[in-house]
Amino acid sequence: MNERAIDDCLALLRQAEHVVVFTGAGVSAESGIPTFRDALTGLWALHDPMDLATPAAFERDPALVWGWYEWRRQQLQSKEPNPAHHAIAHLAGRVPRLTLVTQNVDNLHERAGSSQVIHLHGDLQSPRCSVCATPHVLGPDTDLPSTAQGSRIDPPACVRCNSPVRPGVVWFGESLPEQALQDAFESAGLCDLLLSVGTSGVVQPAALIPEVALQQGANVIHINPEPGQGQYSGVTRIQGKAGQVLPELFGRAFG
Ligand code: BJW
Ligand code: ZN
């Protein structure tokens, strides 16, 4: 790790009054959950998102889409939070105020002990009716069908209107949950430090969150194994994996 960048980050962390941690799929990669856009292993390297992550795809082939999300939900049950999730949960007790905003649909932040997580893109564990939005109560994990990748499974029917139940995630072309979006942008506008961890920053409107923080005068630290583009005032980049960088950074700042 670049020692100069680390020293800058340690100082920023120690003096911060309100930290926003903004996470993407990379924060869960070391738990064994695939990202979306990593070249060989990302979900979108194997599947066309237009076949799986749009309302039109679900209308066209609900069993394909439901089966794919059940496969991912089942995978999640056997995964554990990694040192990055734990480090973020501990950080909340070390700084005056912390807001955690995630694009992830897994529940690993919560399972590591973070509370009040703002989920911008929904949640794999909260399916709802595709017509009337009635929440669908999932059965116990033991009821999960043994889902191989690519299995087609008919979605359950809504208890209220009998329409197909859909995954509780945000697909392309859909609006983000209003309250989550509002809370995320508000905290980005008010914080003095934003840590952006494990995101490619290409999906809108979430990608604007670090921009808003920067424009409002906050410092922004990007943590990613891939090198970032350009040098901007107020932006620090740490190249490395979240599960290694975050525990070291927070340990050195507050240990
Ligand atoms: C590590 C690591 C380690 C690896 N440690 N790091 C043209 C221009 C601009 C915008 C648009 C456009 N056309 C359409 C749009 C809008 C569209 C959009 O942004 N598209 C762009 C992709 C072009 N956005 C939307 O449609 C959104 N809605 C919307 O805008 O509504 C208004 C509207 C309505 C009608 C028409 C147009 C607009 C909704 C977006 C919903 C995104 N949904 C998904 C799927 C969720 C469900 C599911 O899980 O299946 O959300 S897509 C996917 O991308 C998922 C993620 O949350 C999101 C962000 O991805 P993330 O987290 O950044 O992951 P990756 O894989 O991209 O990056 C991982 C990073 O980790 C990499 O950088 C690695 O290097 C790094 N990494 N290991 C740390 N160990
Ligand atoms: Zn319904």
Side-chain angles (χ1 to χ4, degrees), residues 60-79:
R60 201 163 49 234
D61 196 342
L64 177 77
V65 173
W66 182 259
W68 189 67
Y69 279 95
E70 275 300 280
W71 166 69
R72 286 178 52 201
R73 196 169 73 78
Q74 190 173 340
Q75 262 197 332
L76 177 60
Q77 317 296 325
S78 62
K79 308 297 182 196

Side-chain angles (χ1 to χ4, degrees), residues 21-39:
V21 181
F22 173 61
T23 64
V27 85
S28 296
E30 289 157 85
S31 294
I33 298 184
T35 64
F36 293 91
R37 297 175 182 80
D38 279 278

Side-chain angles (χ1 to χ4, degrees), residues 25 30 36-37 69 72 103 121 170 173-174 199-200 204 224:
E30 289 157 85
F36 293 91
R37 297 175 182 80
Y69 279 95
R72 286 178 52 201
Q103 299 167 85
H121 293 160
V170 181
E174 292 188 309
T199 177
S200 57
Q204 299 293 352
N224 200 301

Side-chain angles (χ1 to χ4, degrees), residues 129 131-134 158 160-163:
C129 175
V131 172
C132 74
T134 297
C158 171
R160 192 157 160 242
C161 76
N162 212 34
S163 303

Side-chain angles (χ1 to χ4, degrees), residues 13-26:
L13 275 164
R14 289 183 188 124
Q15 72 200 25
E17 290 290 329
H18 182 181
V19 178
V20 170
V21 181
F22 173 61
T23 64

Side-chain angles (χ1 to χ4, degrees), residues 22-31 34-38 41-44 49-50 52-53 68-69 72 82 84 102-106 120-124 167-176 197-207 223-227 240-245:
F22 173 61
T23 64
V27 85
S28 296
E30 289 157 85
S31 294
T35 64
F36 293 91
R37 297 175 182 80
D38 279 278
T41 54
L43 291 168
W44 299 159
M50 296 302 124
L52 293 163
W68 189 67
Y69 279 95
R72 286 178 52 201
N82 68 52
T102 189
Q103 299 167 85
N104 297 346
V105 298
D106 64 47
L120 289 174
H121 293 160
D123 170 6
L124 276 178
V169 301
V170 181
W171 286 325
F172 287 109
E174 292 188 309
S175 302
L176 277 61
V197 188
T199 177
S200 57
V202 298
V203 173
Q204 299 293 352
I223 295 155
N224 200 301
E226 297 298 321
K241 293 184 173 187
Q244 292 166 5
V245 172

Side-chain angles (χ1 to χ4, degrees), residues 14-227:
R14 289 183 188 124
Q15 72 200 25
E17 290 290 329
H18 182 181
V19 178
V20 170
V21 181
F22 173 61
T23 64
V27 85
S28 296
E30 289 157 85
S31 294
I33 298 184
T35 64
F36 293 91
R37 297 175 182 80
D38 279 278
L40 296 175
T41 54
L43 291 168
W44 299 159
L46 304 168
H47 308 279
D48 182 342
M50 296 302 124
D51 291 340
L52 293 163
T54 65
F58 186 67
E59 244 174 69
R60 201 163 49 234
D61 196 342
L64 177 77
V65 173
W66 182 259
W68 189 67
Y69 279 95
E70 275 300 280
W71 166 69
R72 286 178 52 201
R73 196 169 73 78
Q74 190 173 340
Q75 262 197 332
L76 177 60
Q77 317 296 325
S78 62
K79 308 297 182 196
E80 297 295 334
N82 68 52
H85 300 104
H86 289 295
I88 293 166
H90 285 133
L91 182 66
R94 297 303 193 111
V95 295
R97 184 165 175 209
L98 182 140
T99 307
L100 176 53
V101 180
T102 189
Q103 299 167 85
N104 297 346
V105 298
D106 64 47
N107 55 8
L108 296 180
H109 282 306
E110 286 87 347
R111 282 163 56 194
S114 289
S115 56
Q116 295 180 314
V117 183
I118 299 174
H119 279 271
L120 289 174
H121 293 160
D123 170 6
L124 276 178
Q125 305 286 351
S126 307
R128 65 174 189 274
C129 175
S130 57
V131 172
C132 74
T134 297
H136 172 72
V137 179
L138 289 164
D141 291 346
T142 47
D143 284 0
L144 277 175
S146 180
T147 316
Q149 184 174 5
S151 300
R152 302 165 61 84
I153 303 173
D154 284 327
C158 171
V159 288
R160 192 157 160 242
C161 76
N162 212 34
S163 303
V165 167
R166 57 160 286 172
V169 301
V170 181
W171 286 325
F172 287 109
E174 292 188 309
S175 302
L176 277 61
E178 206 173 310
Q179 190 65 54
L181 195 61
Q182 191 183 316
D183 291 349
F185 275 94
E186 194 179 290
S187 55
L190 294 173
C191 72
D192 46 10
L193 176 62
L194 183 141
L195 303 180
S196 166
V197 188
T199 177
S200 57
V202 298
V203 173
Q204 299 293 352
L208 290 174
I209 287 171
E211 303 292 325
V212 166
L214 196 61
Q215 278 165 18
Q216 295 303 311
N219 288 285
V220 173
I221 303 172
H222 289 282
I223 295 155
N224 200 301
E226 297 298 321

